[in-house]
Amino acid sequence: MVEERTHKSLWTVTAPARRYPALQGDVEVDVVVIGGGIAGLTTAYLLKQQGKRVAVVEMHRLLTGQTGQTTAHLTELLDTPYAELLSDFGALGARLAAESTRAAIEQIAGLVERLRISCGFQRVPAYRYAETDDEARELEREASAARQAGLLCTLTQQVPLPYPVKLALRVEDQAQFHPREYLLALAEGIQGDGSYIFEQTPMTELHEGVPCRVKTPNGTLTCRDVVEATTTPLNRVFMHTKLYAYRTYAVAARLEGPLEAGLYYDSKDPYHYIRTQRVEGVDYVIVGGEDHKVGTVEDTERHFEALEDYTKRHFPVGELEYRWSGQVIEPADGLAYIGRNSTSRHVWVATGFSGNGMTFGTLAGMILTDLILGKQNPYAALYEATRVKPKAGAKDFIQENAEVAFRFVADRLAKPEAHALSEVEPGEGRIVEVDGQKVAVFREEGGAVHAVSPVCTHVGCYVHWNKAERSWDCPCHGSRFSPTGEVLNGPAVKGLPSKKVR
């Protein structure tokens, strides 16, 4: 049971997917979409509805990446406070941010109704609440900014939680759903009539030109436009100076008492996010939080334990049946990057969704569809991927990139964690010095040893072991690798090379 909870989200277990073939041979389409999550599938579906031939290529299975690890809140409450958006993007920018996320929610609602998708879509209120006087004062400031941005919201002390709070910002007409059930229905609408979905098909090279070519191990896709919907763009080094990768954790438990349906967010740092969902006739509470920068924590198990303890203390639950983690990509200035990639004419990117992946992923599909078709989109300028805003997020930009530079040097100079393979326990990964060279060593429970290069294939930082998830994680730009070196998360596209050890 522990193994199941460790590796499977509620969504993955309760909505099994059909299998799609891997690419075998060469294919020509109008648009290639790299990535089979919400941004990629929404973009592909909307483009196909406009008459384009599309091909979605996914390196693993559909919806097993970050979309499969979401907590699936559909809300206009962004991770970046509206008070900050007003300061950095002006009144118009803050209003457009609110309008665009509302448009994304309505896009999902419209598709659910039109396609009759059974995914538990439900309109609910959202509450951002304060538990201390300082948090309440900050919340009052945020309420004023949110109203100025156009949110339908009020301040209230009436919050339907099983514990007291001082104050809450209530936002009307938000929503929740089962993301996998929704997106599997979109996938069914993509396949066929000259359009394709290819699973187990990693991109190895991307050549922009007229036409563009996307190379994979078993064939090449030729197209006019390419969309990178891969959480982080692949090997786009300049873009990664504006993106910061964090791990986030979630648990789900059966409710054994009442909890009103809604989206709930506390004001801690990092904050907790809470919602309910009925799945297969069972009511669950889903709690997320405990965020930290990728590759900076080895004992990630303690984050799961802290989240489980929080859930048991705050809600009427029995056994916690599911637990999972995901990757959150924070943008430098607080808003997603959606649009044409720097120096490109036919390569488009969608990234930096922060904790709002479901709404920003849907919005990405809406914006990119219009841009590829040559249509005006009212939100494209706000989310332009090439933008650089020196004022917004300047402190984080300097701090995060200074940390990348530090990691690049410090991890090379750091002492190895072990000097002999015998020091690596079963189920453990460590950086070991073997014959004067550092190698990343993982030992299976049965004793077999796997050794790979510790140097991330993206820009050369050293990877760190992630104990709970059994992966090698890069703290610089968030690439993650399996114990044997295969790519789990980009921006890296090549695995860690194997090393021979005695």
Side-chain angles (χ1 to χ4, degrees):
M1 189 64 185
V2 171
E3 186 73 10
E4 178 75 1
R5 289 193 298 122
T6 300
H7 296 290
K8 299 291 185 180
S9 72
L10 172 66
W11 321 121
T12 303
V13 173
T14 57
R18 62 171 282 191
R19 285 192 175 272
Y20 291 90
L23 175 65
Q24 298 292 337
D26 298 338
V27 169
E28 182 177 348
V29 290
D30 298 314
V31 182
V32 171
V33 178
I34 306 169
I38 188 167
L41 293 179
T42 303
T43 303
Y45 180 84
L46 294 178
L47 282 168
K48 185 178 180 182
Q49 295 303 300
Q50 295 296 315
K52 293 293 183 181
R53 297 172 302 146
V54 298
V56 177
V57 292
E58 165 57 43
M59 68 183 300
H60 300 301
R61 298 281 312 280
L62 283 191
L63 306 172
T64 56
Q66 301 324 303
T67 297
Q69 317 310 320
T70 182
T71 52
H73 293 232
L74 300 175
T75 180
E76 296 163 272
L77 283 174
L78 306 181
D79 270 19
T80 304
Y82 278 97
E84 192 173 318
L85 291 177
L86 280 171
S87 173
D88 294 341
F89 291 86
L92 177 59
R95 182 171 286 275
L96 286 173
E99 286 181 5
S100 61
T101 48
R102 165 52 52 191
I105 294 171
E106 297 308 325
Q107 173 73 264
I108 292 170
L111 288 172
V112 168
E113 182 177 3
R114 189 182 326 140
L115 301 177
R116 298 180 180 179
I117 303 173
S118 177
C119 61
F121 181 88
Q122 183 181 7
R123 304 273 187 172
V124 295
Y127 299 89
R128 178 163 287 162
Y129 61 88
E131 297 173 274
T132 68
D133 291 336
D134 287 345
E135 290 174 358
R137 283 190 288 271
E138 189 64 29
L139 199 60
E140 289 172 346
R141 177 171 172 260
E142 177 63 6
S144 175
R147 291 192 196 101
Q148 190 174 341
L151 269 67
L152 183 60
C153 59
T154 56
L155 285 171
T156 179
Q157 294 178 320
Q158 305 302 311
V159 182
L161 286 170
Y163 49 91
V165 303
K166 285 188 175 293
L167 189 66
L169 174 64
R170 173 175 168 141
V171 185
E172 306 299 335
D173 203 21
Q174 310 301 282
Q176 60 186 26
F177 68 158
H178 191 305
R180 194 171 166 90
E181 290 176 342
Y182 166 76
L183 289 164
L184 289 175
L186 292 196
E188 291 290 338
I190 296 168
Q191 182 81 343
D193 300 322
S195 292
Y196 309 89
I197 293 176
F198 298 113
E199 294 183 322
Q200 306 290 347
T201 303
M203 182 203 80
T204 55
E205 294 180 53
L206 169 55
H207 298 282
E208 184 180 2
V210 184
C212 296
R213 289 183 172 84
V214 176
K215 293 193 174 183
T216 79
N218 296 312
T220 298
L221 298 114
T222 304
C223 58
R224 181 181 182 276
D225 292 281
V226 177
V227 173
E228 291 190 51
T230 53
T231 307
T232 53
L234 304 173
N235 279 335
R236 305 284 170 174
V237 177
F238 173 71
M239 173 63 81
H240 297 145
T241 65
K242 304 188 294 181
L243 300 171
Y244 321 128
Y246 285 74
R247 294 305 288 172
T248 188
Y249 300 84
V251 297
R254 294 187 183 219
L255 279 166
E256 295 187 346
L259 180 61
E260 187 172 309
L263 311 178
Y264 304 92
Y265 312 87
D266 69 18
S267 299
K268 308 299 181 186
D269 185 18
Y271 70 96
H272 296 90
Y273 31 101
I274 303 135
R275 57 163 291 205
T276 60
Q277 182 74 38
R278 176 172 281 252
V279 181
E280 299 175 345
V282 177
D283 288 320
Y284 290 89
V285 62
I286 303 163
V287 182
E290 289 291 314
D291 300 11
H292 66 81
K293 201 163 189 298
V294 172
T296 59
V297 175
E298 178 180 343
D299 187 12
T300 46
E301 181 70 27
R302 64 183 175 87
H303 291 281
F304 281 119
E305 292 171 352
L307 203 56
E308 291 177 352
D309 178 67
Y310 177 92
T311 303
K312 290 175 181 177
R313 286 189 289 108
H314 285 79
F315 302 101
V317 298
E319 182 182 5
L320 282 88
E321 297 186 33
Y322 303 95
R323 63 177 184 170
W324 64 95
S325 71
Q327 198 106 314
V328 173
I329 307 300
E330 297 289 351
D333 60 16
L335 287 179
Y337 298 104
I338 303 169
R340 198 188 308 271
N341 188 60
S342 300
T343 73
S344 296
R345 295 185 61 191
H346 297 287
V347 177
W348 311 82
V349 296
T351 186
F353 295 164
S354 193
N356 304 100
M358 296 298 96
T359 41
F360 279 148
T362 301
L363 178 63
M366 298 160 65
I367 292 175
L368 294 179
T369 295
D370 283 346
L371 294 179
I372 289 171
L373 295 175
K375 297 180 179 179
Q376 294 289 322
N377 183 284
Y379 313 118
L382 178 67
Y383 294 98
E384 186 179 25
T386 56
R387 73 181 186 273
V388 176
K389 297 182 72 65
K391 177 184 174 184
K395 181 180 177 182
D396 288 343
F397 180 89
I398 294 169
Q399 180 177 324
E400 294 278 354
N401 285 286
E403 186 175 337
V404 169
F406 170 79
R407 288 284 183 181
F408 188 87
V409 176
D411 288 344
R412 280 172 164 72
L413 299 177
K415 293 181 179 180
E417 297 166 333
H419 292 275
L421 299 183
S422 59
E423 296 179 52
V424 183
E425 298 291 334
E428 183 180 59
R430 302 182 78 176
I431 303 298
V432 183
E433 188 173 69
V434 178
D435 296 331
Q437 290 189 331
K438 290 179 180 177
V439 292
V441 174
F442 168 73
R443 185 184 295 276
E444 295 179 7
E445 274 77 0
V449 168
H450 302 276
V452 297
S453 168
V455 181
C456 177
T457 55
H458 180 222
V459 296
C461 295
Y462 269 41
V463 296
H464 292 219
W465 180 247
N466 179 333
K467 181 179 178 181
E469 300 173 273
R470 293 197 175 186
S471 60
W472 295 108
D473 296 358
C474 179
C476 289
H477 300 107
S479 295
R480 298 178 63 242
F481 305 86
S482 75
T484 53
E486 292 83 7
V487 176
L488 299 176
N489 289 110
V493 296
K494 295 180 180 179
L496 301 175
S498 295
K499 294 288 185 180
K500 291 185 177 180
V501 295
R502 291 175 294 176

